[in-house]
Amino acid sequence: MNKKLIILLLVAAGSIGAVLPTTNTYAAAGNESVISNTVNTLAAVKVTSYTAAKTKAKPAPSLQPLTCIDTPSSGFNVNKNFNVNGWVLNGSGVKQVQVYVDNRLIGNASIGRFRPDVAKVFPKYNNKNSGYLLTIPKNKISAGNHTITVKSMGNDGVVTSKSVKISKPKDLLYIDSPQQGQHVKNSIIVSGWALSIENMRQVKISIDNKFVGNATIGLSRADVAKAYPVYLKGNSGFRYNLNVSKLSKGNHTITVTAIDVSGNSVSSSKTISTAEVKSVVTLSNKVSTTKGQAIISYAEKFKGVKYVWGGESPSGFDCSGFTEYVYNHFSVKLPHNAAEQYGYGKSVSKSSLQPGDLVFFGKTASSIYHVGIYIGNGNFINAPKPGDKVKITALRYMPDYYGAKRITIK
């Protein structure tokens, strides 16, 4: 048989999947080695082709869906409108991203935002627009702890989620004046501060559960802003002049209720007495050196006591609570408010300061935010600020020195 014909027949047989025997019985002498080599080659080609086809039939591994929250971070304090943003990846593409607060749907985030940083880290997804964003108004979040959850759905229907914990500070209210059990004759200033992440709408004053009026709000309280910076409020003070001359003799309850623009409210109460009391505060341009030293000696017993906001006992003092406590030991009743303490005693110049005088700090009388007790040699003892303790401070290191008052003790 012609050698070329044999090869053509073998190639044709291989192309239709014919399996040729490895032992050949063709009569053409001298062609055995050619036939044998050709069959072996075709067999190898067939096996290789079969293996390649089998490999192509195996599906490629799918890309794992990914969800990430960039902001807010865990522990975030809500004090303004805030963004929930991050990125999501899905090999099939992203259909939607939804944002929940405590399993309550807030809204659908905008998707397809440009994120080349993510594309660089995850190039196999071939997606430069994996970002999402949703802005949540602060009034949509109630006070307390909450969980933000982001759920993303791919075009393949697969849903992935990620969560973070956030919180919104609660409304706060503190009554600086009057003091609990304070004796009042004709009128009294009801004052203090109220804080809310929202703006404060009104502060209501009631006595014995009867509404008597709205306090003036929005007064500067730099001390409160410094102690509670997360609220972003420097004008949290309120003030109301309460006439008690027509009240019956005895005990009465003053209630202050602060209401923010979202309708959230917080209340606090103090009991006052309208019974007759003998005043123990007298004014003088001079103070006994002996009495002044007695005040200082007593005040210095509390050096090292930690600062506690609203504190008025040896377990913890704030500035006006400290001066109130010290002077109360000498039968002088002072309000627990630095600005109101400035209304007591006789004004003295800085050059005439004597031990026992009260020294005040602030831009104006109504914005006084700190008070201490002068001990001599340009120094005073005070409860400075949160995280600090009762200590002696040099006047020259204090900004906003406003003035001093002298109160005579008996």
Side-chain angles (χ1 to χ4, degrees):
M1 184 180 293
N2 187 283
K3 181 177 178 180
K4 291 183 178 180
L5 179 59
I6 292 174
I7 293 174
L8 289 173
L9 290 172
L10 290 173
V11 171
S15 66
I16 62 174
V19 179
L20 300 179
T22 57
T23 303
N24 303 291
T25 58
Y26 297 105
N31 293 325
E32 288 83 355
S33 60
V34 174
I35 296 172
S36 176
N37 290 337
T38 303
V39 171
N40 290 338
T41 300
L42 290 172
V45 170
K46 184 176 180 181
V47 171
T48 302
S49 300
Y50 175 76
T51 303
K54 189 174 182 181
T55 302
K56 287 182 179 180
K58 185 178 180 181
S62 60
L63 295 171
Q64 180 183 1
L66 301 174
T67 298
C68 176
I69 301 175
D70 288 332
T71 63
S73 58
S74 186
F76 172 74
N77 278 315
V78 178
N79 59 3
K80 57 185 176 181
N81 299 344
F82 64 99
N83 292 329
V84 178
N85 72 74
W87 52 267
V88 295
L89 289 171
N90 186 299
S92 68
V94 177
K95 183 177 181 179
Q96 68 177 10
V97 173
Q98 295 181 317
V99 179
Y100 294 77
V101 175
D102 302 330
N103 297 317
R104 175 173 59 92
L105 177 64
I106 297 297
N108 290 329
S110 62
I111 60 177
R113 300 176 68 85
F114 188 50
R115 289 298 298 265
D117 55 330
V118 179
K120 185 176 181 180
V121 177
F122 300 100
K124 291 184 178 181
Y125 290 83
N126 193 29
N127 186 356
K128 292 184 178 181
N129 302 303
S130 60
Y132 66 85
L133 172 68
L134 179 68
T135 299
I136 300 181
K138 61 183 179 181
N139 60 9
K140 292 290 185 181
I141 307 296
S142 60
N145 298 322
H146 302 280
T147 300
I148 297 283
T149 301
V150 173
K151 293 184 179 180
S152 64
M153 177 183 289
N155 292 325
D156 56 4
V158 175
V159 176
T160 58
S161 65
K162 194 76 173 180
S163 298
V164 294
K165 300 289 186 181
I166 65 169
S167 63
K168 184 177 182 180
K170 297 180 179 180
D171 289 1
L172 299 178
L173 171 67
Y174 188 83
I175 301 175
D176 289 325
S177 175
Q179 294 301 296
Q180 180 68 20
Q182 184 172 335
H183 290 82
V184 182
K185 188 174 182 181
N186 294 314
S187 65
I188 188 172
I189 298 296
V190 179
S191 66
W193 51 266
L195 283 171
S196 173
I197 294 300
E198 314 296 333
N199 291 325
M200 199 59 68
R201 186 173 69 194
Q202 68 180 138
V203 173
K204 300 166 60 177
I205 308 298
S206 302
I207 188 159
D208 298 333
N209 296 319
K210 182 180 179 180
F211 173 73
V212 294
N214 288 316
T216 300
I217 61 176
L219 303 179
S220 177
R221 288 299 298 264
D223 55 334
V224 179
K226 188 174 182 179
Y228 297 95
V230 70
Y231 287 83
L232 303 177
K233 298 290 190 299
N235 301 307
S236 61
F238 64 83
R239 184 183 180 93
Y240 184 82
N241 191 354
L242 178 63
N243 187 340
V244 298
S245 61
K246 296 182 179 180
L247 293 178
S248 61
K249 302 301 180 183
N251 293 330
H252 300 275
T253 300
I254 295 174
T255 301
V256 179
T257 302
I259 306 171
D260 66 27
V261 294
S262 294
N264 303 309
S265 65
V266 58
S267 297
S268 183
S269 298
K270 291 287 182 72
T271 299
I272 61 170
S273 173
T274 55
E276 293 288 343
V277 292
K278 184 179 179 181
S279 175
V280 296
V281 177
T282 60
L283 306 181
S284 174
N285 288 326
K286 296 184 179 181
V287 62
S288 165
T289 302
T290 302
K291 293 295 186 181
Q293 289 299 332
I295 293 173
I296 299 310
S297 296
Y298 185 69
E300 290 185 341
K301 290 181 178 181
F302 305 107
K303 286 173 61 178
V305 172
K306 64 182 179 180
Y307 182 99
V308 174
W309 180 262
E312 52 187 8
S313 73
S315 62
F317 292 112
D318 64 11
C319 67
S320 59
F322 174 61
T323 52
E324 173 203 20
Y325 187 86
V326 170
Y327 268 82
N328 185 62
H329 178 74
F330 297 94
S331 300
V332 175
K333 303 291 184 181
L334 294 176
H336 189 170
N337 178 276
E340 291 188 12
Q341 287 183 9
Y342 188 74
Y344 288 68
K346 183 72 174 180
S347 294
V348 293
S349 65
K350 194 173 184 179
S351 60
S352 301
L353 285 172
Q354 295 183 21
D357 290 343
L358 294 177
V359 288
F360 297 87
F361 304 87
K363 297 292 186 182
T364 64
S366 62
S367 65
I368 286 173
Y369 60 85
H370 191 57
V371 61
I373 303 172
Y374 186 71
I375 65 171
N377 298 319
N379 299 315
F380 72 107
I381 187 168
N382 67 128
K385 59 186 177 180
D388 213 329
K389 57 189 177 182
V390 175
K391 64 183 183 180
I392 294 173
T393 305
L395 281 175
R396 66 179 182 275
Y397 295 139
M398 291 293 295
D400 302 332
Y401 177 84
Y402 184 74
K405 288 297 186 78
R406 183 169 297 157
I407 299 176
T408 299
I409 60 174
K410 294 183 177 181

